[in-house]
Amino acid sequence: MNQAASDIAVPDLLRVNDIEVIYDGAILAVAGVSLTVPKGGIVALLGANGAGKSTTLKAISGLVRAERAQVSRGSIEFLGHDTAGVDPSLRVRQGMVHVLEGRHVFAQLTVEDNLRSGGFVRGLGRQDMARDLERIYTWFPRLKTKRKTQAGLTSGGEQQMVAIGRALMTRPTLVLLDEPSMGLAPIIVQEIFEIVAQLNREAQVSFLIAEQNINVALKYASQACVLDTGRVVLSGSAETLRTRDDLHDFYLGKH
């Protein structure tokens, strides 16, 4: 297959076109952000704390409206359609799911009931639910041993796995993953990113991952964007960004 045919065969799943996000009608949080996530891709959204990564993800998923904010300029297209006016719950049913920063789980429910809640969103029947649960346990064998444990009593890494597993129970084509490494030991971060890579490779799930950990994100992503004060200041292939000597300077406020 030639290069032109290859490009046609892998269309963009998500297109973010020059968006601006304003909080409370006055505070500019994101200004002119553009990015794409190709079908079957892993894209890293890099930047220091406060750079606008979480706001960008919430704008894409529609959750930004719950924080008295709005996309005041630009457009967001998912599966070739403008998402303006599309309710966040409908975006989930269309195949876009957002795993929020901070490992949000239903602490009093068991690990398995947390996972089931994701299946309820898609209205899965009993057989489909059981089949999808076993698929999650194949990807996250840790969770199978903790399936009857209250999620709030599991470790931080296990809670992150529950949050991702619950999202996968919605049968997504695109996962927006916010700061998956936050507060976790390096060995657990490595395990989670290995699972992300496996999901991408075996289940063709695409990922847009907001992450402060440059090294791990660029190891697993194919493309990356760097945000600084709500603006894209660098973008390109992960391989190219890994070779830049000034990448860390954006995190230290030198640009």
Side-chain angles (χ1 to χ4, degrees):
M1 180 181 293
N2 61 36
Q3 185 62 45
S6 176
D7 292 341
I8 293 172
V10 186
D12 289 327
L13 189 64
L14 175 74
R15 294 187 65 85
V16 177
N17 305 303
D18 195 30
I19 65 166
E20 178 181 270
V21 179
I22 294 180
Y23 281 81
D24 293 321
I27 303 170
L28 182 65
V30 167
V33 168
S34 297
L35 61 87
T36 60
V37 179
K39 187 175 182 180
I42 299 177
V43 177
L45 188 60
L46 305 174
N49 188 35
K53 303 187 303 298
S54 293
T55 297
T56 299
L57 292 194
K58 288 176 182 176
I60 293 167
S61 68
L63 295 180
V64 74
R65 285 180 286 175
E67 299 183 347
R68 302 196 309 275
Q70 62 176 340
V71 177
S72 53
R73 189 187 75 200
S75 64
I76 299 166
E77 299 172 13
F78 179 59
L79 296 172
H81 300 286
D82 196 323
T83 62
V86 178
D87 189 79
S89 62
L90 179 56
R91 298 185 202 196
V92 173
R93 290 194 290 274
Q94 291 174 340
M96 176 196 297
V97 67
H98 189 168
V99 180
L100 294 166
E101 175 188 338
R103 303 188 286 277
H104 294 270
V105 298
F106 301 115
Q108 301 304 315
L109 295 182
T110 65
V111 164
E112 185 155 299
D113 283 343
N114 267 270
L115 297 176
R116 286 179 179 276
S117 69
F120 293 147
V121 171
R122 293 303 293 263
L124 298 183
R126 181 176 298 180
Q127 288 186 339
D128 285 339
M129 182 78 78
R131 184 164 49 247
D132 281 17
L133 279 171
E134 285 308 312
R135 186 173 59 161
I136 298 301
Y137 291 140
T138 298
W139 288 321
F140 298 92
R142 260 175 204 258
L143 299 186
K144 189 165 189 175
T145 65
K146 299 289 183 75
R147 63 197 301 172
K148 301 303 180 185
T149 303
Q150 287 185 357
L153 300 179
T154 61
S155 70
E158 288 162 349
Q159 289 181 29
Q160 184 68 78
M161 293 176 190
V162 170
I164 297 172
R166 182 178 61 201
L168 294 171
M169 287 291 289
T170 69
R171 298 182 173 180
T173 53
L174 174 64
V175 176
L176 310 176
L177 188 53
D178 197 355
E179 300 284 6
S181 74
M182 182 176 287
L184 300 181
I187 191 170
I188 301 299
V189 173
Q190 181 83 9
E191 183 177 352
I192 287 172
F193 271 86
E194 287 286 353
I195 292 168
V196 165
Q198 181 184 7
L199 289 165
N200 175 256
R201 184 174 59 250
E202 297 178 1
Q204 288 76 56
V205 179
S206 302
F207 287 87
L208 177 59
I209 306 175
E211 182 57 73
Q212 289 190 57
N213 189 322
I214 301 173
N215 294 331
V216 72
L218 292 181
K219 178 181 178 181
Y220 290 94
S222 53
Q223 300 175 43
C225 296
V226 181
L227 292 187
D228 185 32
T229 59
R231 292 173 169 81
V232 175
V233 291
L234 282 176
S235 64
S237 72
E239 182 178 3
T240 299
L241 264 61
R242 278 197 299 268
T243 65
R244 289 190 62 121
D245 295 332
D246 61 347
L247 185 56
H248 285 82
D249 291 345
F250 289 98
Y251 288 68
L252 300 174
K254 294 181 181 178
H255 286 262

